[in-house]
Amino acid sequence: FNSMNIFRLAGDVSHLVAILILLMKIWSSRSCAGISGKSQVLFALVFTTRYLDLFTVYISAYNSVMKVVFLALSYATVYLIYMRFKNTYNSENDTFRVEFLLIPVIGLSFLENYAFTPLEILWTFSIFLESVAIMPQLFMITKTGEAESITTHYLFFLGLYRALYIANWVWRYHTEGFFDQIAVVSGVVQTIFYCDFFYLYVTRVLRGKGKMSLPMPV
């Protein structure tokens, strides 16, 4: 808990709320329409590669429990989309070319890391991948031109988690002199992706439109 602060805790809670909103939406509507399976697979890959130290490194009970929860929820989401409710998954709109994300991310992980060891390279890969994993979902919303309010709430809490983590890094830098360049740069890049979405969320969804329509790409 030495590096725990209110921003980190709030960030983790926002992250958890985002995933639970998505899971509950799929389960209650028995449909994964409008949800990018590709983004969810990427998030499962993020948690898998980041938490490989689950059985080798013990930080705190909180840390271990959160790792297990995020892994379990991310795989549950993928299972619901590709197995349980696969007939409701609109793959024709989930067409983002994931290899355009994976290839540069893999390359960067080998070039920019803190130690050239398998665990460190995979941890770096997970940080870089998380910063772009939402792109298939944002691409899908842009392609269809709208998103259900529940999907936008999911994205809002996901974006909030990133913003809170930036506050966490600022706090840690001021109080501990701690600075993780890889995580901070990736986090900032990811938050920039959400900024456009946040603007639309506030102007469209919170003003009671229910569904969020995006300006269609020209």
Side-chain angles (χ1 to χ4, degrees):
F1 272 96
N2 57 346
S3 64
M4 282 294 285
N5 58 62
I6 189 67
F7 300 115
R8 167 85 191 272
L9 195 59
D12 287 346
V13 169
S14 297
H15 199 182
L16 195 56
V17 166
I19 296 171
L20 289 172
I21 284 175
L22 196 68
L23 263 178
M24 285 161 65
K25 179 243 189 259
I26 297 172
W27 191 253
S28 61
S29 66
R30 314 201 79 63
S31 164
C32 51
I35 295 167
S36 165
K38 289 184 176 181
S39 271
Q40 295 310 312
V41 168
L42 292 179
F43 280 122
L45 187 56
V46 165
F47 295 131
T48 306
T49 50
R50 183 170 308 167
Y51 299 150
L52 287 169
D53 63 354
L54 181 61
F55 303 107
T56 53
V57 177
Y58 179 80
I59 298 168
S60 66
Y62 171 85
N63 184 277
S64 298
V65 168
M66 287 302 253
K67 285 178 179 177
V68 172
V69 167
F70 281 121
L71 277 167
L73 293 179
S74 65
Y75 278 98
T77 308
V78 169
Y79 165 77
L80 291 180
I81 294 172
Y82 286 103
M83 309 282 282
R84 186 73 191 264
F85 302 123
K86 67 173 185 283
N87 56 329
T88 64
Y89 166 56
N90 37 359
S91 54
E92 67 280 1
N93 287 324
D94 196 11
T95 52
F96 193 91
R97 299 282 297 278
V98 177
E99 59 272 27
F100 291 149
L101 299 179
L102 286 173
I103 292 165
V105 164
I106 291 167
L108 267 175
S109 312
F110 279 96
L111 291 171
E112 286 284 332
N113 52 62
Y114 293 126
F116 204 75
T117 60
L119 273 182
E120 273 296 318
I121 290 168
L122 286 167
W123 178 85
T124 309
F125 169 82
S126 82
I127 297 290
F128 287 145
L129 183 60
E130 189 183 13
S131 69
V132 294
I134 199 63
M135 285 187 73
Q137 180 68 64
L138 296 176
F139 180 76
M140 191 174 179
I141 292 173
T142 309
K143 192 173 178 185
T144 56
E146 62 177 36
E148 288 180 36
S149 58
I150 199 85
T151 317
T152 58
H153 295 327
Y154 159 72
L155 288 168
F156 173 78
F157 278 103
L158 214 51
L160 184 63
Y161 142 67
R162 293 314 317 174
L164 285 163
Y165 255 62
I166 289 178
N168 162 54
W169 292 323
V170 171
W171 176 262
R172 287 190 68 185
Y173 182 70
H174 276 289
T175 55
E176 304 168 39
F178 173 86
F179 182 75
D180 183 334
Q181 187 186 338
I182 290 174
V184 171
V185 171
S186 303
V188 170
V189 167
Q190 192 175 357
T191 307
I192 290 167
F193 282 132
Y194 286 106
C195 282
D196 190 36
F197 167 78
F198 268 133
Y199 172 75
L200 289 165
Y201 182 84
V202 171
T203 55
R204 307 272 173 94
V205 180
L206 295 185
R207 292 191 182 162
K209 294 265 173 67
K211 281 197 171 189
M212 180 171 87
S213 299
L214 293 196
M216 288 303 280
V218 179

